[in-house]
Structure formats: structure tokens, C-alpha cells
Amino acid sequence: MVRSLLICIVFVYLLTSCRSTKKIQTAISKKDTTELSKGLNAKADSVRYIQAALQQLKQNYINFSTFSAKINVDYVDAEDKNYNVNVFVRMYKDSVIWVSVNAIFGIEALRAYITKDSVKILNKANKEYSARAVSYLQEVTALPLNLCTLQDLIMGNPVFLDSK
């Protein structure tokens, strides 16, 4: 009796221990791409994706009333001269941008004052002053810049983005 019980236990153990190997699961499930590319489903999916991306941009928009920053700039001009300058930027939203460029030993070399309608540049190194319209920014950069888009560009907000 003990012997038959022992044989039954060994037999059950062998049956349960000998099984087929497990199938390895994939980390990424396979999708049927032919179904997504049919007609309106693909267009609706694209529209939803674009709307989600625009919503994410709106959530990450940096809103400010004043801004101040010190920026270290390494600049190489067309004649391969290296310049290491400190740039101080101060802004009031929708009002003014003031930029001061300090060269070696903290000597101010350039100052720019940008408002909604004018760009004023005082080049202390060459003792020159120029006052121009905001369209000067468009001439220099070949971009349709105004005060608001320039402030958004400095802050890292998206520019030239139409939500429609």
C-alpha cells in the first residue's frame, strides 16, 4: 500500500513537472497597420494626435510678466575672431526688451532697447547710435519678428504656431 501510494505521488509529480516551455511575451504588441491606414480612421487618428500635441504645447507655455537673465556667449565673427561676452536680458511682457552686452572686465560694449514700434541700438565700442523701426528685426533675421514673437523666442515658447 505504501509502495502504490509512493508510485502515485511520483507519477503525479512527473506529470506536473514535465510541461512545455513558456512562450516568451513581446514587449510591444503588434498592431494591424492595414486597418489604421484605411480611410477616415487614419485621418481622425492624425487629427487626434495633432490636437494632443497642441494641448501639450499649451500646457508647457511659459507665462511671465517680467524676465531677467544673464547669458554667457562665445561668439566667432566672420573674420574668425573669438569673443566671450556676458549678455544681460531684461523684459517686460508685451512692452520692452532691454539687452546689454558686456565685454571683458565688465565693460559695456552694446545696448539694445526694443519696443513694439522701435529698435534702438547703442554701440559703445564704435560710438554709434541707431534708431530703427521694428521692421529692422525682419531685415536682419529674415523672419517675421515683432516684440511678442521675439519675447516668446527668448522664453522658449513656440512661435509661428497657429492652433487652427
Side-chain angles (χ1 to χ4, degrees):
M1 175 117 166
V2 174
R3 190 172 186 186
S4 63
L5 184 63
L6 185 62
I7 291 174
C8 284
I9 292 174
V10 170
F11 183 70
V12 170
Y13 177 73
L14 287 175
L15 283 178
T16 58
S17 65
C18 296
R19 59 185 166 151
S20 63
T21 59
K22 289 184 178 180
K23 185 177 180 182
I24 298 175
Q25 295 178 353
T26 58
I28 300 172
S29 62
K30 295 180 182 179
K31 294 181 181 177
D32 188 11
T33 57
T34 59
E35 188 175 319
L36 289 177
S37 62
K38 291 180 184 175
L40 297 176
N41 289 341
K43 185 176 181 179
D45 192 37
S46 296
V47 169
R48 271 186 264 126
Y49 179 76
I50 291 169
Q51 288 174 344
L54 285 173
Q55 185 64 29
Q56 189 69 24
L57 281 173
K58 287 178 184 178
Q59 288 176 352
N60 292 332
Y61 184 84
I62 300 170
N63 198 3
F64 69 99
S65 58
T66 62
F67 175 78
S68 179
K70 177 184 176 184
I71 306 166
N72 293 324
V73 178
D74 292 324
Y75 174 72
V76 179
D77 67 359
E79 299 169 358
D80 284 337
K81 290 184 182 179
N82 293 328
Y83 298 100
N84 185 1
V85 296
N86 292 325
V87 179
F88 295 92
V89 179
R90 294 176 183 91
M91 295 189 299
Y92 289 105
K93 185 169 182 142
D94 300 332
S95 179
V96 67
I97 300 173
W98 181 63
V99 179
S100 176
V101 179
N102 293 344
I104 194 166
F105 301 122
I107 299 170
E108 187 176 34
L110 184 98
R111 185 181 292 176
Y113 189 79
I114 304 168
T115 60
K116 287 184 179 184
D117 57 349
S118 67
V119 176
K120 298 173 185 169
I121 300 172
L122 177 62
N123 187 346
K124 291 186 174 183
N126 296 335
K127 297 181 181 178
E128 296 175 351
Y129 172 76
S130 63
R132 300 187 180 213
V134 175
S135 60
Y136 175 71
L137 295 174
Q138 296 175 5
E139 293 171 18
V140 172
T141 61
L143 294 172
L145 288 178
N146 58 20
L147 180 71
C148 295
T149 56
L150 188 58
Q151 285 182 338
D152 282 339
L153 191 65
I154 291 170
M155 291 301 296
N157 289 330
V159 293
F160 310 126
L161 183 66
D162 188 9
S163 62
K164 296 177 184 175

